[in-house]
Amino acid sequence: MKLFLALRNVAGFRSAFDFGARDVAHWFPGHMAKGLKQMRANLKNVDCVIEIHDARIPFSGRNPVFRETLDVKPHLLVLNKMDLADMSQKQRIQNQMHRKGVQNVLFTDCLKQRDDNVKKLVPKVMEILTDTPRFNRDENVDYCLMVIGVPNVGKSSLINSLRRTYLKKGRASRVGGEPGITRAVLTKIQVCERPMMHLLDTPGVLPPKIDDVETGMKLALCGTILDHLVGEDLIADYLLYSLNRQQKFNYVERYDLEEPCDDIQQILKRIAVKLGKTQRVKAITGVGNVTITVPNYNAAAYDFIRAFRKGELGRVMLD
Ligand SMILES: Nc1nc2c(ncn2[C@@H]2O[C@H](COP(=O)(O)OP(=O)(O)OP(=O)(O)O)[C@@H](O)[C@H]2O)c(=O)[nH]1
């Protein structure tokens, strides 16, 4: 990164984001009751609940409802997508988690072919279970896990990664299934041989907990709320605000800008021009019709957000 960027006075950037009078009530049209009911029905078969969340937002959006319903079971919090997160903040996050009573935290990258952290999951679960008396199932040596989390945090990827790591197998295939009970409810996926460990095959999708507009915006940025419900222009603006606040200026080089800027319209215009995302439109003026070139702001916002989600604009910690 160029020196002038590192030395740049950030005083010119926004210190707060103006959310206007937005209402987040409709940002996540989830079907929580149904999901939770199904999870509760499965709970008697579960030894440990694996809650998975996005490492860039370790606190925002985690749904506490499951705790009231599912917290009777031992619990491991997996913070996934660590490859996209600013891991220099790891210790702070862990300390804060401990203060909140979350003792068991594991950071993972489930896209990595072999992730040493995913490899720690089974030993970690065994450690947690050894410290917790198992409910009337002491004779059973087949351990069962349930993976839960808000959408798009990597629940399926974790299952596949566990199978790659422990069974040297590719995509999850279903095993088991019991007569008389819906396949979707009791089908299990094996993830480890020694100790024998299964996962319930339907990852529990929880709606995120959206406390306020900023929480909603962070969830949207990380792709857990459908973009169109929030608006890509707004997400792009919040992204720019976040990158500038954290002094993550990779976007300057990626889009050939001269320097960081806090004006999303200007940024999107430059991105559109760089990507050739412009349109020729007719405009009526006082002296007749002229054809002018206008930037496609939507296409530019789309590229900006996608680049961030792929980690191309730097690693961040949004909480
Ligand atoms: N960079 C990165 N991307 C990941 C990681 N894990 C998953 N992803 C990506 O995140 C997206 C969602 O992953 P899934 O495994 O489908 O997430 P899910 O929680 O099962 O999603 P839902 O079924 O919608 O709830 C996919 O594009 C994955 O490739 C990770 O550790 N790092």
Side-chain angles (χ1 to χ4, degrees), residues 87-145:
M87 292 303 286
S88 67
Q89 309 271 334
K90 183 179 172 186
Q91 198 55 54
R92 171 180 69 84
I93 300 299
Q94 271 173 333
N95 293 345
Q96 261 175 272
M97 282 294 173
H98 283 185
R99 280 200 295 278
K100 284 175 179 286
V102 183
Q103 302 302 331
N104 306 306
V105 183
L106 192 66
F107 287 85
T108 56
D109 171 359
C110 289
L111 291 195
K112 225 178 179 180
Q113 201 53 25
R114 292 270 173 271
D115 181 26
D116 286 343
N117 293 302
V118 170
K119 214 169 172 179
K120 289 181 193 153
L121 190 139
V122 167
K124 188 84 195 157
V125 167
M126 292 310 293
E127 192 187 305
I128 296 168
L129 290 179
T130 315
D131 290 344
T132 324
R134 300 183 75 204
F135 301 161
N136 309 320
R137 302 179 66 215
D138 301 289
E139 76 295 343
N140 194 347
V141 288
D142 179 352
Y143 297 94
C144 185
L145 313 177

Side-chain angles (χ1 to χ4, degrees), residues 80-81 83-84 108-111 151-157 205:
N80 189 38
K81 308 196 184 185
D83 53 306
L84 304 176
T108 56
D109 171 359
C110 289
L111 291 195
N152 216 31
V153 287
K155 296 179 290 299
S156 306
S157 303
V205 182

